[in-house]
């Protein structure tokens, strides 16, 4: 099996490359060489996927049985179209890492694999789309929907779209789970979003990588929602963070309306908290039927803490600083209860 990984040096891309090498595959990676290091055993090719000459040079290293694209999250559709068009004759399949944000109903409505997608042209630039007044839909969602269309135009029924919600695990660069773990480690009274029994569905990066590799080696096409079929409650999540860190903390469960009254930003100041009904109501039935297997999230939490204790955070990313409530603000809210 000959595989091309777009990216391949950090978080999901690194897990994909590492997993492919472990399967004995012949793996090429393509990246700019600016973030992280390549996995031992791959054939690294450096270049910029927004530059035609670089992508055409990359095509000369083929052919490949499949491409797994883990590096398009910050690219406009036209740049995805450039890459996919240049590689359409050099690869038999394209596995595209997308997002549930491509759905018109997210995060307000429960999602299935048949939910309606946002509309965005394949050749759109970074300005196409908008973010709604309530934060939905998002410019990001339009852009990613356009990226999917770009891949479809180039690869047709040879394309697979993997649509995760939230990916956690060792190597996370966004900072969601790392913030909760470091907050738990400080102990004391911890601001927590009620209701405590609300279930969340993040998935482990290693499980997403394994599923992407399975699809690269398979024959299916179309979209797959990737979300944990069991998940865990927020109470279980916070308890696991306290357990793995060995901290003597105690969650203070605060109602959503009070958190909003105090100006707590959803999704960032209390990572993973969002009040919209559909945000944690994603049906991943098609992916489960196709072989997606999700480890217990307590294992993800434990392994991420181990990674953090061993000098985690392999790359700098601006989103890391967006996550977490300031200790002074947290203490003020708790004192008001």
């Amino acid at each position: 099996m000959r595989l091309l990984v777009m990216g391949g040096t950090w978080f999901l891309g690194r897990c994909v490359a590492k997993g492919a090498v472990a399967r004995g595959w012949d793996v090429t990676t393509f990246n700019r060489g600016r973030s992280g290091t390549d996995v031992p055993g791959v054939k690294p090719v450096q270049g910029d996927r927004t530059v035609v000459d670089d992508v055409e040079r990359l095509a000369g290293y083929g052919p490949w049985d499949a491409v797994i694209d883990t590096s398009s999250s910050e690219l406009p559709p036209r740049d995805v179209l450039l890459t996919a068009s240049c590689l359409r004759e050099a690869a038999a399949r394209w596995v595209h890492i997308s997002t549930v944000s491509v759905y018109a109903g997210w995060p307000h409505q429960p999602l299935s694999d048949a939910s309606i997608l946002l509309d965005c042209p394949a050749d759109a630039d970074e300005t196409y789309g908008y973010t709604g007044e309530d934060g939905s839909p998002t410019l990001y969602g339009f852009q990613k929907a356009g990226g999917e269309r770009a891949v479809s135009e180039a690869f047709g029924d040879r394309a697979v779209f993997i649509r995760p919600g939230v990916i956690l695990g060792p190597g996370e660069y966004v900072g969601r789970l790392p913030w909760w773990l470091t907050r738990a480690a400080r102990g004391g009274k911890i601001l927590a979003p009620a209701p405590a029994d609300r279930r969340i569905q993040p998935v482990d990066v290693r499980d997403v990588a394994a599923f992407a590799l399975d699809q690269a080696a398979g024959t299916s096409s179309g979209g797959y929602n990737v979300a944990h079929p069991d998940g865990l409650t927020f109470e279980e999540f916070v308890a696991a963070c306290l357990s793995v860190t060995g901290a003597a903390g105690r969650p203070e469960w605060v109602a959503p309306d009070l958190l909003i009254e105090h100006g707590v930003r959803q999704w960032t100041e209390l990572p993973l908290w969002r009040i919209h009904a559909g945000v944690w109501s994603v049906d991943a039935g098609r992916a489960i039927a196709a072989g997606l297997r999700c480890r217990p999230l307590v294992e993800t939490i434990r392994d991420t803490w181990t990674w953090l204790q061993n000098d985690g955070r392999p790359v700098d990313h601006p989103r890391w600083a967006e996550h977490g409530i300031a200790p002074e603000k947290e203490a003020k809210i708790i004192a008001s209860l």
Side-chain angles (χ1 to χ4, degrees):
M1 179 79 179
R2 285 174 53 82
L3 177 71
L4 170 63
V5 181
M6 305 297 291
T9 60
W10 48 299
F11 201 39
L12 179 57
R14 188 172 186 83
C15 278
V16 167
K18 187 176 180 180
V21 170
R23 295 185 186 203
W25 294 4
D26 185 328
V27 184
T28 302
T29 59
F30 183 72
N31 54 68
R32 296 175 297 177
R34 299 178 184 175
S35 302
T37 58
D38 276 292
V39 171
V42 306
K43 300 174 182 177
V45 179
Q46 289 191 355
D48 189 330
R49 60 181 294 176
T50 68
V51 177
V52 175
D53 289 346
D54 285 4
V55 183
E56 290 181 343
R57 173 172 54 86
L58 171 64
Y61 287 86
W64 297 280
D65 297 299
V67 175
I68 299 181
D69 186 1
T70 68
S71 69
S72 66
S73 64
E74 297 178 6
L75 293 178
R78 65 180 180 186
D79 287 336
V80 179
L81 182 62
L82 164 64
T83 311
S85 298
C86 287
L87 296 179
R88 91 174 91 205
E89 301 301 327
R93 290 171 61 73
W94 186 290
V95 178
H96 194 71
I97 307 301
S98 186
T99 167
V100 292
S101 294
V102 298
Y103 288 114
W106 192 88
H108 297 281
Q109 303 168 8
L111 298 178
S112 72
D113 296 293
S115 295
I116 297 172
L117 301 178
L118 294 168
D119 187 22
C120 179
D123 60 353
D125 66 15
E126 62 277 4
T127 66
Y128 190 93
Y130 63 92
T131 296
E133 291 184 2
D134 66 346
S136 176
T138 62
L139 176 65
Y140 175 76
F142 280 102
Q143 293 281 303
K144 296 313 106 186
E148 287 196 13
R149 181 171 290 183
V151 173
S152 290
E153 289 192 3
F155 278 80
D157 61 5
R158 296 183 291 143
V160 175
F161 303 100
I162 295 178
R163 299 169 181 146
V166 172
I167 304 176
L168 303 178
E172 183 196 337
Y173 64 89
V174 176
R176 295 184 177 107
L177 179 51
W179 182 83
W180 276 107
L181 284 164
T182 54
R183 176 61 193 90
R186 292 207 316 267
K189 295 181 178 181
I190 300 171
L191 185 65
D197 61 355
R198 188 179 190 191
R199 303 197 75 82
I200 59 177
Q201 298 177 280
V203 288
D204 191 291
V205 62
R206 295 163 292 187
D207 298 331
V208 179
F211 184 68
L213 290 167
D214 290 344
Q215 295 311 303
T219 59
S220 67
S221 63
Y224 291 96
N225 293 337
V226 174
H228 203 293
D230 301 316
L232 77 178
T233 66
F234 229 113
E235 183 174 30
E236 292 168 336
F237 173 78
V238 175
C241 289
L242 288 166
S243 175
V244 301
T245 60
R250 187 184 76 195
E252 296 286 334
W253 298 98
V254 180
D257 56 351
L258 187 56
L259 292 173
I260 293 171
E261 181 181 328
H262 281 278
V264 178
R265 294 192 305 275
Q266 298 179 51
W267 213 233
T268 53
E269 282 195 296
L270 287 181
L272 306 179
W273 169 63
R274 196 165 183 173
I275 63 173
H276 302 81
V279 68
W280 296 119
S281 185
V282 179
D283 180 2
R286 185 169 189 252
I288 299 298
L292 173 66
R293 297 294 178 266
C294 294
R295 71 196 66 204
L297 284 164
V298 291
E299 182 179 330
T300 304
I301 295 167
R302 180 199 67 205
D303 293 349
T304 302
W305 179 243
T306 299
W307 166 70
L308 285 171
Q309 294 299 100
N310 289 278
D311 299 319
R313 193 179 175 191
V315 296
D316 288 321
H317 196 281
R319 294 184 69 186
W320 186 283
E322 295 176 356
H323 290 85
I325 190 169
E328 300 81 9
K329 185 174 181 177
E330 178 188 31
K332 182 179 179 180
I333 296 173
I334 291 175
S336 70
L337 300 178

